[in-house]
Structures are given as structure tokens and as C-alpha cells.
Amino acid sequence: MRSFPVTHHTPLSLEEACQKAVTQTSPKCEHELITLTDALGRILAKPVIATKDLPAFDNSAMDGFAFKAEDAGKRLKVARTIFAGDIPTAILNDKECYRIMTGAQIPHDVDTVAPIETCHDVTPQEVTLPKEIAKGSNFRKKGEELKAGSSMIPAGEILTAADIALLSAQGIMAVEVVVQPRIAIVSTGNEIKEPWELASEDEIYNANAFGISALLKSFGFEPTYIGAIPDDLEATKRFIAKLTTFDAVITTGGISMGDADFLYEAFLSNGLDVWFHGVNLKPGKGVTFGQMGNTLVMAMPGNPMATMLTVHALCIPALYKLAGASKPYHTFVYAEFAHDLRLKNGRTNMVIGTLESGVFIPTRNNKIGSGMLTPLRESNAVAYLGEEISLIEREDLIKVILFNDTTRTIDDRTVNHR
């Protein structure tokens, strides 16, 4: 007999659930200073301010000749050659120019650079410049990219390789980032065996915990699998009480209201503030989000397909918010649907498939079960088809999320609607 009252919750739509999961999650406050060698994929805690102009000086975008724009089309004497790294002074007389290399500093007595391939009758001493060339061509002005003191990368950005290059170009070798959230992964069920154990025909191996861990790592998180708990209410309560040392907890299975599903009751007895319990979704209806003390709780279904898809759809955006990202939501691309597909409406359908050359092909014509895993391996993308959609026709343009796309956006607009 249950010892804790059960409160009825109306399932949310996928859009409502994702929005609530993100908006009610509070970002971590702890920061740390790390070097650029460890900064890829980390989230900036404070904005980075440019320390110097970029470029730091006027320089040439091409190998060629630097001259005054009014001398276009004339034959000029080459006064000197300027190499990258030189610090030249202005020495030109009338009818003179500089030969200059890419990236070399441009003296203040010229304003245009002609690429060498556009010039005529080139000798070591003289050159004929092209007639049709605009003033300022191939001339990189000091500070045209960034001015010293301007905001370079805002707080909340996930650092990319381009960001690392930009920081390096500023002589910045350490940045302040949000400390990685401590994420626990928990499995439930007496039938669960770990991959290193021997499973009988009546037992199953733990695919969920290791699949979730790998999925989270692919998005830059560092989860910890802390084991499976048995289907026993008191043992589950004691186990749950120890999870508040983590910033976030992801559980799989045991969250429905079946006779042996104690997880929800155990969370409630430990003070869980439930944000939502159930999502109008296929697969993956059995999802619960909430907060227990300072710990974000994300309870996922037990079936492997449903687990992986709901973690991707709901947990990843929430974890990005927890980690301090200003853009937590998945991005999407548009693709043509490969063929007609009928669906049961009244719920959001998550259809997995393969995106190839702008065409989305549903895996196995969407004839797959929530307990399967092999269809996921055959897929590289997912489409969320809204509750009102009962038919997708060939060549319909839909929004598709690539599973391995780590780019983020500030708004959630991933669900397709009519």
C-alpha cells in the first residue's frame, strides 16, 4: 500500500514541457578560471572585453602594391618592399608605391592595395597599376573588426574553435567559465544487470544509463553513473535522499504509477517540487521534472528509445540552462519529407529518421517501438510533429533536429505545426 498521496497532473505538450524545464531551471553560480587549452565547449561566466584593436594596425589583405588611389592606372616606381613583421615609415615621393605582402603593415601615406595578379608589366623596380580599382581595396583598417574596450564574447556563450582563435588573437590565455554541473544518472529495477555482469534470459542489461551518459558527453557534459536502485520503496527513499549533493539527477524507469514503481513517491517524500508529471508525447509520455532542494530532477521513462529521445528533447536544453548557457534550445534545419506518413494525432509524435541531401527519411517508415534501440543507430535526426498533425505528405517542408548538432538557440521553435 502506498504511504504517500498521489497528486494528479495533466500532461503538458512537448513545447510547454521544454519551456518550463528551461525557464524554471536556475543557472549555476560557481565560476572557475581555465586556460584556452581546456576552454572548448565551456560556457563563459563573464563577458570578454577586447584588450586591443583587431587588426592591431592597418595591413594588406593581399600580396601586391600599396599606393595612393589617385595613382590608379599609372606606372609607378617601387620605393621599397614591406614584409609581414616590418614596421615601415612613410617614404613615398610622387609616382612611387610600395610592394607589400599579405598581413604586412601599411604606411599612412597610401590608402589602396592592388593584388599583384591585377597589375601589368611588373619588374623589381616598376609596376603598372590597374585602372579600375576602388579606393581602400584590400586595405584592412586598424580596429575594423574590434575596438579595444568593446565587448567581444558575451557571457553565456558556449566557446567554439572560432572563439578560441579570437581569444588567442587578443593575447587572452585564460577565461572565467561556469563550473560544470554535477549530474547523476540513476537506473531502477531488479531486472537490470550491468554490462559487465551475467544476465539470464529473465534479466536485461542496462542500456539506458550508458546511453544517456554518452549522449550527455557528446554535448559537453560530464555525468556520473551512480548505480541502479531496487524496486523497494524504503530503499529508494534512502537512495534519493543522498542525491541532493548533485546539481542534477536523471533517472530512468520507475516513474509511472504502477504497483512496483516507487520512484515518484520516493521523490515526493524527499521534498520534490513537481514542475510537471507527464508529457503528451510519443514515445516518452512518462516524464517528470522538478526540483528537490537545489537539485534539478529529471525522471525519464524506462524504455530505451523513449529514454534517449526524451533526454535529448528535454534534459539537454535544461542542462544547458543549468550550465549557464544563454542559448539553451536545440536548433533545426528545414528538410523535405521523403514520403507520405500517417500519424495518430492528439499528441506530439517524435519521428526519427535520416537526413540526406535535404530530405528526411523516416526510419523503418516509423514502424518502431519505444523499447527498441537499433532504429536509433540507423537514424541521425528527429522531427517533432505537433498534436494536430495526422498526415505528413511527400515533399512537405518540415523542421528537423540533427542528433549531433550542438549549436544552440535562444528560442524553442522545433515543433512542427500545421
Side-chain angles (χ1 to χ4, degrees):
M1 181 177 294
R2 294 189 182 279
S3 59
F4 207 89
V6 176
T7 303
H8 175 74
H9 292 268
T10 301
L12 301 184
S13 70
L14 176 59
E15 290 160 303
E16 291 170 330
C18 192
Q19 187 76 15
K20 182 163 284 193
V22 170
T23 56
Q24 295 196 201
T25 296
S26 298
K28 280 179 66 69
C29 298
E30 297 93 338
H31 302 166
E32 62 181 339
L33 191 68
I34 62 172
T35 64
L36 292 193
T37 54
D38 298 318
L40 184 65
R42 297 297 298 272
I43 298 171
L44 271 184
K46 294 182 178 180
V48 178
I49 305 302
T51 59
K52 61 184 297 187
D53 289 336
L54 186 68
F57 47 79
D58 295 344
N59 72 93
S60 176
M62 305 287 289
D63 289 344
F65 297 89
F67 60 97
K68 301 182 185 71
E70 58 263 29
D71 287 335
K74 298 178 182 178
R75 187 161 184 83
L76 303 181
K77 179 183 176 182
V78 178
R80 65 162 292 186
T81 298
I82 305 172
F83 296 94
D86 290 349
I87 305 176
T89 56
I91 61 169
L92 289 190
N93 297 311
D94 288 344
K95 297 184 180 180
E96 288 185 339
C97 66
Y98 301 106
R99 184 163 187 164
I100 196 164
M101 304 302 161
T102 302
Q105 186 168 335
I106 299 176
H108 63 74
D109 55 349
V110 292
D111 55 26
T112 306
V113 175
I116 192 169
E117 60 269 21
T118 65
C119 299
H120 310 283
D121 302 322
V122 178
T123 72
Q125 293 79 33
E126 293 184 328
V127 61
T128 300
L129 300 172
K131 293 180 181 179
E132 302 298 327
I133 185 167
K135 181 178 180 179
S137 293
N138 307 301
F139 192 113
R140 297 171 177 156
K141 296 291 290 182
K142 177 182 178 180
E144 69 179 15
E145 275 194 77
L146 285 171
K147 294 289 187 184
S150 64
S151 179
M152 191 167 70
I153 308 175
E157 287 289 300
I158 303 165
L159 293 171
T160 65
D163 293 324
I164 303 300
L166 183 58
L167 291 164
S168 301
Q170 288 283 299
I172 298 171
M173 278 307 296
V175 287
E176 196 167 344
V177 297
V178 181
V179 172
Q180 285 269 34
R182 298 186 67 240
I183 305 166
I185 299 173
V186 181
S187 297
T188 62
N190 289 324
E191 78 281 7
I192 295 294
K193 290 290 184 181
E194 304 300 354
W196 55 85
E197 297 177 316
L198 182 63
S200 70
E201 291 184 357
D202 300 316
E203 297 168 320
I204 59 175
Y205 283 117
N206 186 357
N208 284 343
F210 294 91
I212 292 171
S213 180
L215 179 60
L216 265 55
K217 287 178 180 178
S218 73
F219 282 89
F221 299 106
E222 298 177 357
T224 301
Y225 174 51
I226 60 173
I229 55 178
D231 288 330
D232 174 81
L233 178 57
E234 294 307 315
T236 302
K237 287 181 180 180
R238 292 192 294 271
F239 191 95
I240 294 300
K242 299 176 182 178
L243 296 179
T244 53
T245 58
F246 290 91
D247 298 305
V249 175
I250 300 177
T251 67
T252 63
I255 201 61
S256 71
M257 300 316 296
D259 290 339
D261 293 331
F262 303 115
L263 191 58
Y264 186 62
E265 186 171 344
F267 272 122
L268 291 178
S269 69
N270 277 281
L272 177 68
D273 175 22
V274 180
W275 297 346
F276 57 88
H277 183 49
V279 181
N280 192 21
L281 181 65
K282 179 179 171 46
K285 182 177 181 180
V287 172
T288 297
F289 266 67
Q291 188 164 329
M292 185 175 61
N294 293 320
T295 302
L296 172 63
V297 174
M298 299 172 283
M300 300 293 107
N303 283 319
M305 173 81 69
T307 298
M308 294 293 284
L309 289 177
T310 49
V311 168
H312 184 267
L314 295 168
C315 297
I316 297 296
L319 287 173
Y320 270 115
K321 175 68 177 299
L322 178 66
S326 57
K327 299 174 182 177
Y329 296 106
H330 291 300
T331 57
F332 62 86
V333 296
Y334 283 104
E336 288 185 359
F337 212 78
H339 55 73
D340 292 358
L341 180 67
R342 292 199 172 274
L343 300 161
K344 182 178 179 180
N345 61 5
R347 66 198 181 189
T348 298
N349 287 281
M350 294 198 290
V351 177
I352 61 173
T354 302
L355 182 62
E356 294 180 358
S357 303
V359 177
F360 180 74
I361 308 166
T363 299
R364 304 186 188 182
N365 200 28
N366 202 42
K367 299 185 185 306
I368 53 181
S370 62
M372 302 173 74
L373 276 173
T374 50
L376 273 176
R377 188 181 179 278
E378 298 165 9
S379 308
N380 66 6
V382 60
Y384 303 148
L385 304 178
E387 298 176 7
E388 75 282 8
I389 296 176
S390 59
L391 172 66
I392 293 289
E393 297 185 37
R394 181 176 180 271
E395 296 185 353
D396 275 354
L397 198 63
I398 64 164
K399 294 180 283 192
V400 174
I401 303 168
L402 285 161
F403 285 134
N404 63 356
D405 187 357
T406 59
T407 60
R408 318 308 299 162
T409 185
I410 197 168
D411 296 312
D412 180 28
R413 297 184 292 116
T414 54
V415 177
N416 291 275
H417 290 292
R418 287 297 187 196

